[in-house]
Amino acid sequence: AYLPDLPETRRDLARYYDCLERVDQKVGRVLAELDADGLTEDTIVFYYGDHGGSMPRGKSFTYDSGARVPLIVRFPEKWRRLSPMPAGGETDRLVSFVDFAATVLSIAEAEIPDYMQGRAFLGKRAAPAREFVHTFRGRRGERYDIVRGVRSKEFLYLRNYTPHLPVMQFNGYSFEIPGYLAWRDAWRRGECNPTQAQWFEPKASEELYRIADDPDNVRNLASEPRFAGVLAR
């Protein structure tokens, strides 16, 4: 909803999907190597990204488009007992990168040190599910933008400590992507609708989004009285 329908945007998306296909092929080659080495039945495979999509308002932003990542774990039959669900199963459990180390220790049935902040989400020592995942943003390239975020299953809350700055500040890294420049130029020409234009304008101090009916995080509910309790929590 936040991206304008421009040739540059479509080209960026097409290239991104091409990259996904290439990654799929590379993952297939790694799995084939495990097979060839006779290690498939001894290996638990984790597949994940390190940030949201490398598209405008993706990587390094605290919205779901920038913080939500893929995560797939494949258990061979030998270690099926460590999986919380059957093959092909899916869970809506919240997971943070800080949980990975504790999870690997849990799978190995090793002690998890008390000083580890992460919560194991697999294995014998799996912890209760998280209620919240915390995110943060300090900068994008050479531009500072201080944001702290809290994500539950239902809501995303963001606190902006630089509300006088727009979400989309110019920086040399991001604006090498054609879609960024095209989006900014369309906004300058007045061709963006209000949803698309808001990212180049000063932002609210607080943002609250309900995920179920607003997965793109574009309708800020922070000032609506009916969500005052959620905001306070």
Side-chain angles (χ1 to χ4, degrees):
Y2 50 83
L3 288 174
D5 189 355
L6 301 169
E8 293 87 351
T9 306
R10 287 176 172 264
R11 179 174 177 270
D12 286 348
L13 278 168
R15 292 191 66 182
Y16 187 64
Y17 288 132
D18 286 346
C19 290
L20 292 179
E21 187 174 2
R22 289 179 61 193
V23 168
D24 193 45
Q25 292 168 355
K26 290 183 176 183
V27 170
R29 287 198 289 271
V30 172
L31 297 180
E33 288 174 8
L34 286 174
D35 241 0
D37 293 339
L39 297 173
T40 296
E41 284 304 309
D42 290 315
T43 306
I44 297 170
V45 178
F46 283 67
Y47 170 87
Y48 54 92
D50 68 327
H51 53 69
S54 291
M55 289 289 295
R57 217 201 76 161
K59 174 183 178 181
S60 89
F61 291 94
T62 45
Y63 302 100
D64 274 8
S65 52
R68 189 175 181 182
V69 300
L71 175 58
I72 301 171
V73 184
R74 189 182 81 165
F75 290 86
E77 195 58 42
K78 180 178 179 178
W79 302 112
R80 183 69 61 197
R81 61 183 170 81
L82 297 174
S83 175
M85 61 199 64
E90 187 175 328
T91 176
D92 63 353
R93 177 172 177 146
L94 293 174
V95 172
S96 179
F97 281 155
V98 74
D99 298 332
F100 281 18
T103 299
V104 171
L105 290 175
S106 175
I107 287 174
E109 299 187 1
E111 291 291 332
I112 301 172
D114 292 338
Y115 57 75
M116 274 194 171
Q117 296 177 29
R119 297 189 185 186
F121 56 89
L122 296 170
K124 192 175 181 179
R125 292 181 167 82
R130 285 182 173 276
E131 185 176 7
F132 302 108
V133 164
H134 296 81
T135 60
F136 73 94
R137 169 179 167 91
R139 64 175 180 84
R140 173 62 161 163
E142 70 275 19
R143 303 296 182 192
Y144 289 99
D145 187 22
I146 313 302
V147 187
R148 298 294 181 265
V150 182
R151 174 70 149 82
S152 69
K153 287 183 180 180
E154 296 181 83
F155 292 94
L156 170 66
Y157 169 80
L158 301 178
R159 177 65 182 266
N160 295 304
Y161 292 92
T162 48
H164 58 291
L165 300 173
V167 174
M168 292 290 191
Q169 298 181 69
F170 177 86
N171 69 82
Y173 178 85
S174 300
F175 282 77
E176 288 292 317
I177 299 174
Y180 270 92
L181 287 168
W183 188 1
R184 184 197 63 183
D185 293 345
W187 169 71
R188 285 177 172 174
R189 294 191 300 267
E191 296 173 357
C192 290
N193 63 38
T195 296
Q196 297 158 0
Q198 64 178 301
W199 312 110
F200 293 94
E201 298 165 357
K203 49 189 179 286
S205 295
E206 292 182 295
E207 300 175 62
L208 181 69
Y209 301 101
R210 185 161 60 180
I211 306 303
D213 52 15
D214 184 20
D216 286 335
N217 311 151
V218 295
R219 296 193 295 276
N220 186 6
L221 307 174
S223 62
E224 293 196 17
R226 64 193 175 113
F227 290 105
V230 176
L231 188 74
R233 178 168 172 262

